[in-house]
Amino acid sequence: MAAPKNRRSVFLGRLPLPERNYLADALRTETVGGVLLLAAAVAALIWANTPLRDSYESVRSFHLGPGSLGLDLSLEHWAADGLLAVFFFVAGIELKRELVAGELRDPKAAILPVVAAVCGMAAPALVYFTTAASGGGSLGGWAVPTATDIAFALAVLAVIGTALPSALRAFLLTLAVVDDLFAILIIAIFFTSKINFAALGFAVVGLAVFWLLLRKGVRGWYFYVPLAVVNWALMYNSGVHATISGVAMGLMLRCTRRDDERQSPGERIEHLVRPLSAGLAVPLFALFSAGVAISGGALSDIFHRPETLGVVLGLVAGKTIGVFGGTWAAARFTRAELNPDLKWPDVLAVATLAGIGFTVSLLIGELAFSDDPVLMGEVKAAVLVGSLIAAVLASTLLKLRDNKYKKLCAEEDRDDDENGIPDIYEQDTPEYHLRMAAKYEAKAAAHRKLAEVAGHGTTDDDGPA
């Protein structure tokens, strides 16, 4: 019998097994990196708010690099422009993979996370704009609360111990990937003032060489790493934010597998570079960027100054309303039906978790208020406060459903036939039922044999002489 034409699709349903395995591996690294990121942010705050604060300023303002090449930069600058290029390189690979093999490859399936992410960026920007305009503040920071920090969000999950089902984690990861894409566009379009067209032209040539080497199948890090450094330096000197070069190179990698490949080149390189990004690049950026002086008076000022209040409200309220509202509207008008194992409060919790906007929000804060160091520091403090409030609210909402999540995760991981494939992915196959029947029959035969042996032993010992 044919399925009805208007059958509703399932939103946040079971992931395909290869996608689930990839997600588990990626999020495992991001979770560890997120914990390191959290530790680096705490260390920066302690360092900047103790008698050692002068040494903190001295270290992050220490300059090094070849001045003749326009690269005599402070450590803080190297972290923001250099190390984050590695982070955006991984983001570029993630985006490419999502577009060709992940949640975004099918336009019908992609519409929900894309609409949620777009609304989740538009709503915080609107909240900031409204708050800042009504208070007579600067409108230049509208983009600060628009980004989601997946590593920090996963660190929160790791700390509170919530076993989040893979579908919700995939939804959060896809949101973050689309967020990163729009953050890249925002940085490229709105925070590029003067362009050196000669340097930009050479950067484009360098990227073309990078692409050509990939298409020719040339292997060897000694070709690609020096070329990537040159491309980064040219992009930096062009006036376009240097992290754009990382994204561009990430997008050029092939992320589809051929018949004779266990991993695509993009997956293989991402597997190698992701630990460097999550474990070193992003935590060091946090160490040199998150160190802002915070006092009781400064904290209270955050809720009175229009720019900083706009950032906090944008992250806490704007993100939640945007992601949840966009998801609900997209589901309503695309006839997508929520997974019956999950509830809309689960989507609300993830939407609140998306309000943790640490790494990219700090970067955009630096770019937006580079001409006002005092306001820049206050906006950074607002990012930290807003992210903390969002984390607490999301943790509370997730904890309310923790027992349900643990049951769902246990069901996802159950492997009774011990073949390395979760049973939930085999339950509809005849082979699975035959294998399980044979296993249970073998167990039953073993139990009968033991019972017979035990029965004979009892008769010999206790019977009449």
Side-chain angles (χ1 to χ4, degrees), residues 50 132 396:
T50 62
T396 303

Side-chain angles (χ1 to χ4, degrees), residues 143-158:
V144 174
T146 58
T148 294
D149 193 315
I150 182 66
F152 219 131
L154 292 172
V156 171
L157 291 176

